[in-house]
């Protein structure tokens, strides 16, 4: 008989190693591997290989890398791995907006095949037909899902896809002789900040729409915003609130009427995949983050893919090369005179593309729709139960159902107990659940955003709910315990104020030492 | 029959048009003698009472004489009880306290007062949070969260409260400017206590909020954009109150008044802390633009905290020559609420609709303006 986990929280305690930063470890002269010296006969033939390096690329001093033996390095990283609440370790649904879903391990095996791993992007296309077939295959699948006519996989993530869209809009209007006239991009306050930032990089002015009393972008404001200066709109639907904007086709109509283009930020397609399409809402472009909806792992800022699809009208402007099929052969098309050029190298991050292709093929058309339906069902199961927790609420709209996620609020609980959403999130870590942190823009007081996707079982959703109920109970009975959490985690409270202080935060060890006044 | 307490502060709001930071410590006679001021609170009380009367609710008004409510109430309602008079001809803070105590002792269902932050402080001193209250906005300083959005909205709120058997109440802050901080050049509203008010978020003013330090970065971006792309050499710029507008003068290394109205011309502050008539004189015959920002957490563009910029001033500058600036965080704090104006009818209608709000460098938000 299965254990009944749904009614109770775990007696969890995370490993705490007090592990130093790797730059603080090691001993001078210590090595992991000792490689043999170059034999004189070889050196005599090859010469000084470093002499061919331009002088500006040659270091003046040795890199100050940690000097450690292999065993100590292994131990360090194993300890670090125990100090995380990673996607494969915890019920990760508290990371709302991130679309945390399971990344099947079989797909990792596929991309580690030497036929993919050992290829080089400069190889002749005739020697990488299998890789190109996978890219072309995913293109066809995404065309069917979106209704668009061609996809590029070159953007290395969502923000690059948005930058590509802004570039396409500019190229399109310039080709029509309206490049100077159309200098405004419209977006919404709910949209990812890159939707405002990327157009600015391309020199556009940005007009932002706020939301109306129904929790969706103000349609009347849009009607007042559009003009002959409008280059286009960047919009998301549903937004991170999980509220579906049923006027979306009206939005695209109003923008098209003044000659603007419509771009659909579908970085997260998870709730409507196979149910509604960008084409039917009259969008000219859309993009999907393959690390969200299509199960490729989140890269922590590393290589990813913002797959960008466009209609036939915009296809000539796409980045080069495009993967195409001529007869039975897959080819790279660089012959696109109107192309915006390159956003990133080559055809994109092929392991990510192949993982998404494998995932989509393994589910099939029916499976993809089923995934969306289960994600929505899971979300509304949580919505019903969280609404029943005294002190929790789902503001912005009274609609009964949301799509794939919900931005909730602890404002009532906070006013009653003085415990904030930040306190609650840290206390959830004491029960082995990842804390939530992504709630932009901060329009909901004391926010928390939950997005269960289709990957989590009912037992896991119930276990998460039990965690929430337990912490809410503590807010009322022992609020000090919550306010001083976490107690069972790797580290206690940290002073987060430094994150907002440019004179203190650092993203490298060297910069940290410099800002702290240590000897470099 | 329900019982409605009524207290009118006869001199509340007069200081706005005069460019004063409030009328605490003044008498109506003194203001009349010095500035030729005309009362505004009586008119606002009447607007609120007319809404209550129109709602048909069966109500007895409990109030005081000497301009504190009895005369206006008697002109509109049949059952009006007078429970006190000012000590001497002119009302003072002590009279407001006395009136509030007596009205509360008469067991009213709700006490409606007409005034600003000074009046709210007096009401709080008299009745604390025990008596359900609502403010009718008529002050210069209105940092407290105890007022309806307009006299009519206050009247609607009272009508609903009296008609419903049970309406949720909440405590709302009674705030006033921290004068010590103000002298140091900072607008910090100081908390003096709480009044109990009926809950209707749409009909009650959010409390104003001082600017967080991080806001300075955004204000700086707005100021840079204004100086780089908007402000030209041939125009006089009337800058309304607020830390966001003041940032423009900071960037220019010019003096400014945080709560006053200044004029900037060719990069220099050429006039400071102007009242309505001074403004009218300054802008006459000149190419002028008005730069304003919503005050605190209320979302009011005009008519609150900047009453110097009256309908006369706005018409003189021209409706199309108004530039609105605000940080995105300030706009987010307003939720889905629009921006408000509260001037005369013609101005309100002329300013209504969707307006661009400059929120950063080459960055605008479209917000609805209503009244």
């Amino acid at each position: 008989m299965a254990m009944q986990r749904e009614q109770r929280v775990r007696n969890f305690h995370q490993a705490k190693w007090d592990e130093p930063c790797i730059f603080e470890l090691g001993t001078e002269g210590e090595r992991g591997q000792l490689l043999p010296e170059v034999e004189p006969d070889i050196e005599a033939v090859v010469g000084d290989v470093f002499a061919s390096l331009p002088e500006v690329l040659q270091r003046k001093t040795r890199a100050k890398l940690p000097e450690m033996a292999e065993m100590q390095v292994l131990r360090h990283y194993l300890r670090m791995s125990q100090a995380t609440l990673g996607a494969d370790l915890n019920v990760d649904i508290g990371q709302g907006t991130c679309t945390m879903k399971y990344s099947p391990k079989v797909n990792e095996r596929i991309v580690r095949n030497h036929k993919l791993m050992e290829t080089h992007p400069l190889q002749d296309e005739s020697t990488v037909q299998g890789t190109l077939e996978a890219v072309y295959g995913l293109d066809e699948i995404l065309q069917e899902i979106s209704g668009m006519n061609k996809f590029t996989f070159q953007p290395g993530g969502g923000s690059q896809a948005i930058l590509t869209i802004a570039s396409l809009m500019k190229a399109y209007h310039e080709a029509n002789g309206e490049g100077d006239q159309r200098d405004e991009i419209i977006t919404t306050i709910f949209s990812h900040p890159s939707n405002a930032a990327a157009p600015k990089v391309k020199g556009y002015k940005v007009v932002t729409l706020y939301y109306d009393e129904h929790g969706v972008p103000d349609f009347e404001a849009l009607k007042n915003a559009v003009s002959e200066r409008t280059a286009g709109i960047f919009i998301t639907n549903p937004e991170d609130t999980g509220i579906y904007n049923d006027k979306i086709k009206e939005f695209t109509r109003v923008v098209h009427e003044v000659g603007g283009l419509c771009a659909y930020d579908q970085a997260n397609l998870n709730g409507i995949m196979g149910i509604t399409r960008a084409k039917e809402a009259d969008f000219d472009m859309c993009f999907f983050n393959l690390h969200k909806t299509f199960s490729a792992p989140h890269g922590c800022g590393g290589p990813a893919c913002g797959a960008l699809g466009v209609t036939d009208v915009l296809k000539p402007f796409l980045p080069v090369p495009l993967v195409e099929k001529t007869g039975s052969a897959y080819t790279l098309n660089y012959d696109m005179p109107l192309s915006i050029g390159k956003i990133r190298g080559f055809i994109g991050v092929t392991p990510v593309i192949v993982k998404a292709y494998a995932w989509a093929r393994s589910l099939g058309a029916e499976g993809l729709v089923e995934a969306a339906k289960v994600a929505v069902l899971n979300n509304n199961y949580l919505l019903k139960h969280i609404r029943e927790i005294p002190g929790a609420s789902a503001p912005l709209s009274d609609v009964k159902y949301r799509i794939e996620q919900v931005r909730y609020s602890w404002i009532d609980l906070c006013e009653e107990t003085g415990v904030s959403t930040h306190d609650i999130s840290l206390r959830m870590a004491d029960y082995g659940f990842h804390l939530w942190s992504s709630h932009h823009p901060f329009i909901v007081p004391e926010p928390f955003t939950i997005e269960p996707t289709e990957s989590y079982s009912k037992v896991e959703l119930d276990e998460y709910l039990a965690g929430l109920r337990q912490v809410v109970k503590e807010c009322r009975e022992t609020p000090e315990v919550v306010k001083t959490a976490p107690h069972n985690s790797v580290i206690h409270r940290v002073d987060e104020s430094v994150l907002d202080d440019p004179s203190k935060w650092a993203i490298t060890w060297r910069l940290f030492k410099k800002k702290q006044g240590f000897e470099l | 029959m329900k019982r409605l307490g009524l207290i009118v502060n006869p001199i509340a709001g007069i200081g706005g048009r005069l460019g004063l930071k409030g009328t605490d410590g003044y008498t109506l006679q003194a203001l009349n003698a010095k500035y030729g001021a005309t009362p505004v609170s009586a008119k606002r009380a009447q607007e609120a009472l007319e809404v209550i009367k129109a709602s048909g609710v069966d109500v007895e008004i409990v109030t005081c004489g000497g301009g504190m409510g009895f005369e206006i109430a008697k002109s509109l309602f049949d059952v009006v009880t007078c429970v006190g008079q000012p000590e001497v001809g002119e009302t003072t803070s002590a009279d407001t306290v006395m009136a509030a105590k007596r009205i509360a002792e008469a067991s009213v269902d709700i006490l409606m007062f007409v005034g600003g932050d000074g009046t709210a402080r007096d009401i709080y001193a008299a009745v604390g949070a025990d008596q359900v209250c609502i403010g009718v906005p008529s002050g210069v300083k209105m940092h407290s969260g105890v007022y309806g959005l307009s006299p009519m909205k206050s009247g609607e709120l009272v009508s609903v409260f009296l008609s419903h058997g049970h309406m949720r109440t909440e405590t709302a802050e009674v705030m006033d400017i921290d004068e010590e901080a103000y002298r140091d050049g900072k607008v910090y509203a100081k908390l003096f206590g709480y009044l109990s008010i009926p809950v209707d978020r749409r009909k009650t003013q959010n409390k104003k909020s001082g600017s967080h330090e991080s806001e300075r970065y955004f204000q700086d971006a707005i100021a840079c954009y204004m100086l780089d792309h908007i402000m030209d050499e041939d125009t006089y710029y009337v800058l309304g109150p607020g830390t966001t507008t003041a940032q423009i003068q900071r960037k220019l290394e010019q003096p400014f008044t945080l709560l006053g109205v200044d004029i900037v011309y060719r990069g220099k502050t050429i006039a400071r802390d102007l009242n309505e008539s001074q403004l009218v004189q300054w802008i006459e015959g000149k190419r002028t633009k008005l730069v304003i920002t919503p005050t605190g957490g209320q979302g009011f563009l005009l008519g609150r905290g900047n009453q110097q910029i009256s309908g006369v001033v706005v018409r003189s500058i021209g409706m199309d020559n108004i530039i609105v600036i605000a940080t995105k965080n300030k706009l987010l704090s307003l939720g889905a609420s629009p921006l408000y104006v509260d001037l005369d009818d013609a101005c309100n209608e002329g300013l209504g609709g969707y307006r661009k709000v400059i929120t950063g460098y080459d960055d605008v938000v479209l917000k609805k303006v209503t009244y």
Side-chain angles (χ1 to χ4, degrees), chain B residues 16-48:
Chain B
R17 290 185 173 211
L18 304 177
L20 302 178
K21 305 297 179 292
T23 49
D24 300 351
Y26 287 90
T27 66
L28 182 57
Q29 196 176 16
L31 290 167
N32 255 321
K34 192 171 180 183
Y35 301 105
T38 52
V40 293
S41 56
K43 183 170 177 294
R44 296 203 153 227
Q46 185 166 339
E47 287 172 17

Side-chain angles (χ1 to χ4, degrees), chain B residues 38-289:
Chain B
T38 52
V40 293
S41 56
K43 183 170 177 294
R44 296 203 153 227
Q46 185 166 339
E47 287 172 17
L49 287 171
E50 282 173 350
V51 172
I52 297 166
K53 184 177 171 66
S55 75
V57 63
D58 191 17
V59 65
E60 172 193 355
I61 310 292
V62 182
T63 183
C64 287
M68 296 182 72
F70 182 79
E71 296 80 4
I72 306 164
K74 197 66 188 164
S75 70
L76 289 167
F77 291 87
D78 297 332
V79 187
V80 181
T81 305
C82 184
V83 294
Q85 289 278 340
E87 286 286 325
V88 285
E90 294 291 343
T91 61
T92 64
S93 170
D95 293 314
T96 307
V97 174
M98 172 278 297
K101 281 183 176 168
R102 290 194 187 170
I103 289 169
E105 284 165 9
S107 299
V108 294
D109 293 284
I110 184 167
L111 167 57
M112 184 171 82
F113 65 92
V114 187
D117 286 337
T119 317
R121 282 171 63 182
D122 292 336
I123 301 287
Y124 167 72
V127 302
D130 297 333
Q131 171 67 56
V132 179
C133 298
I134 187 70
V136 175
S138 182
V140 177
K141 303 169 293 173
M142 283 184 283
H143 296 78
S144 304
V146 299
Y147 315 102
L149 287 170
S150 67
M152 286 174 63
K153 298 289 184 192
S154 298
E156 285 173 21
L157 196 55
V158 169
S159 303
V160 173
F161 182 79
L162 292 175
S163 305
H164 288 204
H166 297 283
M167 190 171 177
R168 203 157 73 87
T169 60
E170 66 180 10
T171 53
E173 295 96 337
V174 175
M175 305 182 86
D176 206 347
I177 290 172
D178 183 331
E179 292 179 5
E180 275 186 34
Y182 175 60
R183 278 192 284 272
D184 289 337
K186 295 172 183 168
V187 183
Y188 290 139
K190 190 174 173 183
L191 181 65
F192 284 88
Y194 293 91
L195 285 178
S196 178
I197 63 167
V199 176
D200 184 338
R201 215 169 274 280
R202 286 169 302 130
K203 295 195 175 86
T204 313
Q205 274 186 190
N206 298 318
K207 69 179 188 305
K208 290 183 185 178
S209 53
S211 297
H212 298 298
E213 287 306 312
S214 60
E215 282 283 273
R216 300 280 180 219
Y217 295 106
F218 297 104
Q219 290 174 342
D220 204 45
I222 294 168
C224 287
Y225 182 67
M226 288 293 294
L227 294 171
D228 291 351
H229 294 286
I230 304 293
M231 296 173 76
D232 61 50
E233 291 283 293
D234 303 322
T235 306
Y236 289 78
Y237 291 91
V238 175
L239 303 189
T243 50
T244 310
T245 46
Q247 187 64 18
I248 295 169
Q249 289 157 292
R250 277 204 183 95
K251 291 297 289 183
L252 291 167
E253 298 182 343
Q254 290 291 303
F256 57 88
T257 48
L258 279 173
L259 295 187
V261 178
D262 302 344
I263 295 182
V264 169
Y265 179 64
R266 295 190 171 176
K268 307 269 189 216
T269 299
I270 58 167
R272 280 196 287 167
D273 208 8
L274 303 175
N275 63 30
E276 182 192 24
S277 60
Q278 290 168 326
L279 270 171
V280 171
Q281 280 178 0
W282 265 101
I283 62 183
E284 192 180 353
K286 296 187 180 80
R287 180 187 157 93
T288 314
K289 289 192 177 179

Side-chain angles (χ1 to χ4, degrees), chain A residues 184 189 196 200 203-213 218 220-222 224-225 229 441-443 502, chain B residues 201 217 225 229 327-329 331-332 334-337 353-354 356 359-368:
Chain A
E184 285 185 354
I189 191 65
K200 280 207 175 172
Y204 282 113
K205 299 178 193 300
V206 176
V207 180
T208 305
L209 308 179
Y210 275 43
Y211 60 102
D212 65 12
E213 63 272 25
D218 187 340
E220 292 302 316
L222 174 72
N224 280 272
R229 293 177 61 182
F442 284 82
I443 52 177
Chain B
R201 215 169 274 280
Y217 295 106
Y225 182 67
H229 294 286
T327 63
K328 282 186 178 170
N329 282 340
L331 296 182
L332 283 173
L334 305 174
S337 298
Y354 281 85
K356 283 184 174 175
T359 52
Y361 205 96
D362 248 347
D363 206 69
V364 302
V365 161
L366 225 68
K367 272 298 263 188
K368 189 176 184 180

Side-chain angles (χ1 to χ4, degrees), chain A residues 337-358:
Chain A
L338 293 177
S339 168
I340 59 169
K342 282 184 175 295
I343 286 291
R344 197 176 190 280
F346 309 108
I347 56 172
V349 184
T350 46
V352 172
I353 300 168
V354 172
K355 281 179 206 175
Y357 178 61

Side-chain angles (χ1 to χ4, degrees), chain A residues 472-479:
Chain A
V472 168
K473 183 167 174 272
E474 292 171 351
C475 288
R476 295 192 167 93
E477 294 176 358
T478 52

